């Protein structure tokens, strides 16, 4: 990861991540750390982290946690969130949502073609089926 990418990632962390982190913690009712694996992101995709990745994650969690049963399931089943980016080429077939040992991992091309990342509805459906 070069200086340009590091500066872009730092800008996202400073200007967006804290607000999304706070909102997700409020939605879920507990501290739910989000780790963005910046070294997996190409420069062209870093700028899409707030609008494409974090917003969809937040909206998906908001829908799952709209009632106490969903909120409780998320609070008990997820302890942290990991975000990874993959190349746009073949992302549709390589993207993955995974919930294992309390870690919810989202691997997709955040910023490429829409078929390479997850919508909030797909995130919600995955969580409802796996919690």
């Amino acid at each position: 990861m070069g200086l340009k990418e590091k500066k872009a990632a730092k800008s996202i962390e400073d200007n967006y991540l804290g607000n999304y982190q706070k909102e997700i913690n409020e939605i879920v009712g507990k501290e739910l750390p989000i780790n963005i694996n910046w070294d997996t992101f190409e420069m062209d995709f870093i700028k899409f982290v707030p609008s494409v990745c974090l917003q969809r994650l937040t909206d998906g969690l908001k829908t799952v946690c709209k009632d106490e049963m969903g909120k409780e399931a998320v609070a008990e089943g997820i302890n942290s969130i990991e975000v990874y980016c993959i190349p746009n080429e073949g992302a549709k077939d390589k993207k993955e949502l995974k919930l294992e040992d309390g870690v919810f991992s989202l691997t997709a091309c955040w910023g490429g073609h829409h078929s390479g990342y997850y919508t909030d509805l797909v995130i919600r459906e995955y969580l409802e089926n796996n919690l």
Side-chain angles (χ1 to χ4, degrees), residues 24-75:
I24 286 172
N25 292 347
E26 289 172 4
I27 290 166
V28 176
K30 77 171 196 177
E31 184 77 20
L32 196 58
I34 302 167
N35 180 40
I36 299 173
N37 293 275
W38 293 112
D39 57 335
T40 65
F41 281 80
E42 293 177 28
M43 185 62 197
D44 291 342
F45 302 135
I46 290 174
K47 64 185 174 194
F48 292 102
V49 168
S51 62
V52 178
C53 176
L54 295 174
Q55 188 61 54
R56 282 167 175 71
L57 171 62
T58 302
D59 291 345
L61 285 168
K62 203 179 287 182
T63 308
V64 173
C65 296
K66 69 179 179 232
D67 60 34
E68 280 306 310
M69 206 179 312
K71 198 172 196 173
E72 195 173 287
V74 170

Side-chain angles (χ1 to χ4, degrees), residues 87-124:
N88 193 32
E89 181 82 22
K92 179 181 178 185
D93 298 322
K94 295 176 185 169
K95 66 183 179 180
E96 177 184 41
L97 294 175
K98 185 167 79 174
L99 181 57
E100 190 173 274
D101 299 326
V103 178
F104 181 38
S105 300
L106 299 93
T107 303
C109 183
W110 307 104
H113 188 270
H114 66 84
S115 65
Y117 59 80
Y118 293 101
T119 64
D120 56 315
L121 299 175
V122 173
I123 293 169
R124 180 211 62 181

Side-chain angles (χ1 to χ4, degrees), residues 68-86:
E68 280 306 310
M69 206 179 312
K71 198 172 196 173
E72 195 173 287
V74 170
E76 289 175 4
I78 303 175
N79 297 316
S80 65
I81 297 169
E82 294 285 331
V83 176
Y84 301 92
C85 191
I86 56 175

